[in-house]
Amino acid sequence: MVDPLAVEADGGDSPAWSRRREGYRPPELTRPDGVVPYAELHAHTNFSFLDGASHPEELVEEAVRLGLTALAVTDHDGFYGVVRFAEAARALHLPTIFGAELSMAAAGPGRGGSVRGGHPDPPGNHLLVLAHGHEGYARLARVIARAQLRGGEKGRPVYGELEEVAAELRDHVLVLTGCRKGQVPAALLTEGVDAAARELDRLTALFGAETVAVELSDHGHPVDGDRNDALAELAAAAGLPTVATNNVHYATPGRRRLATTLAAVRARRSLDEIDGWLPAAGTAHLRSGAEMATRFAAYPGAVARAAEFGAELAFDLQLVAPQLPAYPVPLGHTEMSWLRQLTEAGARERYGPREAHPQAYAQLDHELNMIEELGFPGYFLVVYDIVDFCRREDIYCQGRGSAANSAVCYALRITNVDAVRHRLLFERFLAPERDGPPDIDVDIESGRREEVIQHVYARYGREHTAQVANVISYRPRSAVRDVAKAFGFSAGQQDAWSKQIDRWGEVATMDVPEIPEQVIAYANELTGGSGR
């Protein structure tokens, strides 16, 4: 599967090269009959960069093929892949669960530090949380965003103490004890049963016993059985449910080789050098309910509870709609009355008095009534505020796109096209039939854009502002070089092969040996994966 964002464009943010991802086209799949109900509650996509080895769409398609009742995506420290996941799942009628694996107390680089930190086994503990409805999703997004801001460096979120996270998320998430990096399994492995019991008690005290479950997973490792036995006993002693997961990192067993290559790239080692840290078998893939029931027969109810939690936690991401912060208006005004006053003042400058240009004012009244009906006055005020700041500071800016169809935008000097004079159709920009809020694009001169960004931060607060983040695909040259390194080829050979690839991903003609097919195949997977 090739990511449309990775081809025919350089991934930059200029209008000439940015591309909209193509819509998902579902394959013909038949859901099996008579399945054992099971929902996978712990799965990583390739948006867990260099850790997950399958696209969100691949996981969805395999889940449907296996007859899963729901699927959760729990990528590391972010919701980067949830839109693609939700689109594919909606098309294939698969219930969706949204969560994340938070990197807690990570010391130094690694997951929770830099994901490319060069560690075969990145340090730090994980906290696996699943959002309970829209409110849980919003709260979890807030926790992650604050941690990323606090970290101040890409890939190094700082969550602070567990108590701080729990204060925000309690009663709005389901907490699983997680993989071997989870607080409870890690304590069990390093300090024994008593330490694990203390960590489990801490989780239940902070998050509530009714929202904590003990996770059991089995990848065929020699210690998995003993660990699951101990965890099941701890759960029984604490009166907590057990739940089976497969800690999924790829959709099918065939993805295992790519997953091990990704592990080598992440660790900056060859496959030979990292071999001792790799799982013995390709077991971290999606499994059917029947297979999970067989593997966890010793733990009655663990598979059935996964299905029950899946039904309880599933919701449609499409229904989540963020709200703009309240716009600060003068005393005695509402957002709408203040927008009307600003528009009236701007119209007098643009058109003259109302009686001199009744057609323009009639259009303005129509548009303002529509804006009020649809509840978007705050949106127009925010854009006006940014443009007004640029005018006062002599920073060139210009609204463009369908906003030019709006006489209100013209009166507010967001755009400089007279929509009335040119008889432009306002409904192309904003109408009850259109889905979602209007889209006003404003170009700001690049040399002074940072001043505008800092103004927005200062006016609305960093927790109420964000920049659009493009998830950029792995560049073809870098992908070839990193995969060749993982396969143990010399630095000179890595460079020679990477130079055969031009910036567009095509093979150039050079007098060097042909690139091995497997290097090209895995490099193609990287260029079609999540961003760096």
Side-chain angles (χ1 to χ4, degrees):
M1 182 182 295
V2 178
D3 191 331
L5 293 178
V7 297
E8 298 182 12
D10 67 357
D13 62 357
S14 71
W17 293 119
S18 295
R19 292 191 56 183
R20 183 180 297 274
R21 179 172 53 84
E22 295 179 6
Y24 175 70
R25 293 189 293 271
E28 291 292 333
L29 294 173
T30 302
R31 182 178 288 272
D33 296 325
V35 297
V36 174
Y38 173 65
E40 179 54 65
L41 302 179
H42 188 169
H44 297 277
T45 75
N46 55 1
F47 285 87
S48 287
F49 187 53
L50 296 178
D51 189 43
S54 289
H55 300 276
E57 296 88 345
E58 290 178 291
L59 288 166
V60 168
E61 290 165 12
E62 181 65 6
V64 171
R65 190 187 70 81
L66 294 171
L68 269 59
T69 56
L71 176 64
V73 159
T74 55
D75 284 321
H76 295 290
D77 305 304
F79 288 141
Y80 316 109
V82 298
V83 172
R84 284 173 55 173
F85 167 58
E87 287 178 355
R90 190 178 303 119
L92 292 170
H93 309 290
L94 177 71
T96 49
I97 304 157
F98 303 94
E101 194 166 63
L102 309 184
S103 302
M104 306 293 297
R111 279 201 297 270
S114 170
V115 293
R116 300 266 326 233
H119 286 260
D121 188 17
N125 290 331
H126 297 163
L127 178 68
L128 186 68
V129 289
L130 301 172
H132 202 297
H134 305 140
E135 178 65 20
Y137 181 94
R139 286 173 176 262
L140 182 52
R142 251 193 322 268
V143 166
I144 294 171
R146 288 172 182 166
Q148 299 286 7
L149 283 172
R150 187 183 296 167
E153 184 179 339
K154 181 180 178 180
R156 301 193 68 173
V158 176
Y159 292 97
E161 298 299 324
L162 187 62
E163 288 78 4
E164 182 180 347
V165 174
E168 180 72 36
L169 298 181
R170 184 183 173 115
D171 299 326
H172 296 281
V173 296
L174 173 67
V175 176
L176 303 186
T177 53
C179 62
R180 64 185 180 87
K181 292 296 189 73
Q183 308 274 358
V184 176
L188 178 65
L189 179 65
T190 58
E191 300 177 61
V193 173
D194 291 342
R198 288 194 296 272
E199 288 295 334
L200 188 57
D201 289 343
R202 184 184 180 209
L203 283 179
T204 56
L206 291 174
F207 290 93
E210 66 283 357
T211 58
V212 175
V214 175
E215 179 178 347
L216 309 179
S217 60
D218 185 350
H219 286 174
H221 192 279
V223 303
D224 284 354
D226 291 339
R227 183 192 66 243
N228 286 336
D229 287 345
L231 289 172
E233 291 176 6
L234 286 170
L240 298 175
T242 56
V243 59
T245 84
N246 204 45
N247 187 12
V248 170
H249 284 71
Y250 39 92
T252 62
R255 281 294 200 189
R256 186 249 179 161
R257 289 186 177 183
L258 176 61
T260 57
T261 303
L262 293 177
V265 172
R266 184 183 69 233
R268 300 175 187 166
R269 286 165 165 80
S270 71
L271 286 165
D272 287 340
E273 291 170 330
I274 201 176
D275 185 61
W277 283 276
L278 295 175
T283 54
H285 57 85
L286 288 171
R287 300 179 187 274
S288 68
E291 186 174 359
M292 291 295 287
T294 299
R295 294 178 76 86
F296 291 89
Y299 311 101
V303 171
R305 275 188 290 272
E308 292 167 5
F309 281 130
E312 178 184 344
L313 296 169
F315 67 94
D316 188 345
L317 184 67
Q318 195 174 33
L319 301 178
V320 177
Q323 297 295 316
L324 286 172
Y327 185 85
V329 296
L331 190 65
H333 277 283
T334 65
E335 288 183 342
M336 193 63 226
S337 68
W338 184 235
L339 178 63
R340 288 183 182 277
Q341 181 167 316
L342 290 173
T343 302
E344 186 78 22
R348 284 196 297 270
E349 294 180 11
R350 291 286 205 182
Y351 296 113
R354 182 175 283 265
E355 58 273 12
H357 208 321
Q359 182 184 3
Y361 282 88
Q363 178 63 27
L364 288 168
D365 291 341
H366 166 68
E367 293 186 14
L368 288 168
N369 290 337
M370 184 73 70
I371 292 168
E372 182 174 20
E373 177 187 341
L374 298 178
F376 294 134
Y379 180 88
F380 283 82
L381 288 171
V382 168
V383 178
Y384 163 78
D385 176 75
I386 294 171
V387 172
D388 184 60
F389 171 79
C390 291
R391 289 179 60 205
R392 287 185 280 109
E393 298 298 323
D394 197 26
I395 300 171
Y396 177 75
C397 76
Q398 178 67 66
R400 59 176 170 86
S402 60
N405 290 45
S406 169
V408 168
C409 287
Y410 179 65
L412 296 174
R413 296 187 182 272
I414 294 171
T415 62
N416 282 316
V417 175
D418 186 346
V420 177
R421 176 186 175 189
H422 295 285
R423 299 181 180 180
L424 301 178
L425 181 64
F426 174 70
E427 282 71 16
R428 180 178 176 271
F429 167 61
L430 183 64
E433 295 79 15
R434 294 180 63 86
D435 185 24
D439 182 14
I440 303 177
D441 297 312
V442 179
D443 291 326
I444 299 168
E445 63 174 297
S446 59
R448 302 189 65 186
R449 193 176 299 162
E450 186 60 31
E451 295 176 48
V452 183
I453 292 171
Q454 293 304 318
H455 164 73
V456 173
Y457 281 156
R459 186 160 180 78
Y460 301 102
R462 286 183 176 266
E463 291 194 1
H464 293 104
T465 57
Q467 296 186 54
V468 174
N470 287 328
V471 182
I472 301 172
S473 298
Y474 224 120
R475 294 295 188 266
R477 286 185 176 182
S478 298
V480 168
R481 184 181 293 111
D482 284 355
V483 171
K485 181 177 181 178
F487 284 2
F489 291 104
S490 67
Q493 188 66 80
Q494 298 164 29
D495 289 341
W497 283 336
S498 69
K499 288 174 181 177
Q500 286 187 275
I501 312 296
D502 66 22
R503 67 178 300 192
W504 311 111
E506 299 294 336
V507 177
T509 301
M510 296 187 68
D511 188 18
V512 294
E514 183 180 353
I515 305 174
E517 182 179 345
Q518 198 168 26
V519 172
I520 287 292
Y522 285 3
N524 282 336
E525 291 293 344
L526 290 184
T527 58
S530 63
R532 293 189 97 161

